[in-house]
Amino acid sequence: MSSVSAASIESVANEGQQQKKPLKPCCACPETKKVRDACIIEKGEESCTNLIEAHKECMRALGFKI
């Protein structure tokens, strides 16, 4: 019979969460990044300012300083 307490299980769960690697800017907001990049390639940066700003807003919402 195991004598594992709820506190020790909670401690192990918290350690797993703390070991998560932080989100990298290159991996954040893939949806807005994909459409932004496609637009820039097809139409040029000047024609995609709304998509560029949408991607920046997404990044800021995740805590990145853009």
Side-chain angles (χ1 to χ4, degrees), residues 35-50:
V35 292
R36 176 206 66 180
D37 291 350
C39 181
I40 292 171
I41 291 169
E42 292 174 16
K43 301 176 184 177
E45 189 173 332
E46 303 78 28
S47 302
C48 305
T49 55
N50 60 334

Side-chain angles (χ1 to χ4, degrees), residues 11-51:
S11 174
V12 171
N14 287 338
E15 286 177 16
Q17 290 175 351
Q18 291 173 357
Q19 291 178 357
K20 275 188 175 181
K21 293 182 181 179
L23 184 62
K24 295 180 182 180
C26 63
C27 303
C29 302
E31 302 85 13
T32 57
K33 182 178 180 179
K34 184 176 180 179
V35 292
R36 176 206 66 180
D37 291 350
C39 181
I40 292 171
I41 291 169
E42 292 174 16
K43 301 176 184 177
E45 189 173 332
E46 303 78 28
S47 302
C48 305
T49 55
N50 60 334
L51 295 174

Side-chain angles (χ1 to χ4, degrees), residues 48-62:
C48 305
T49 55
N50 60 334
L51 295 174
I52 293 168
E53 287 305 313
H55 183 63
K56 286 180 181 179
E57 286 179 33
C58 180
M59 297 287 286
R60 288 182 189 119
L62 293 175

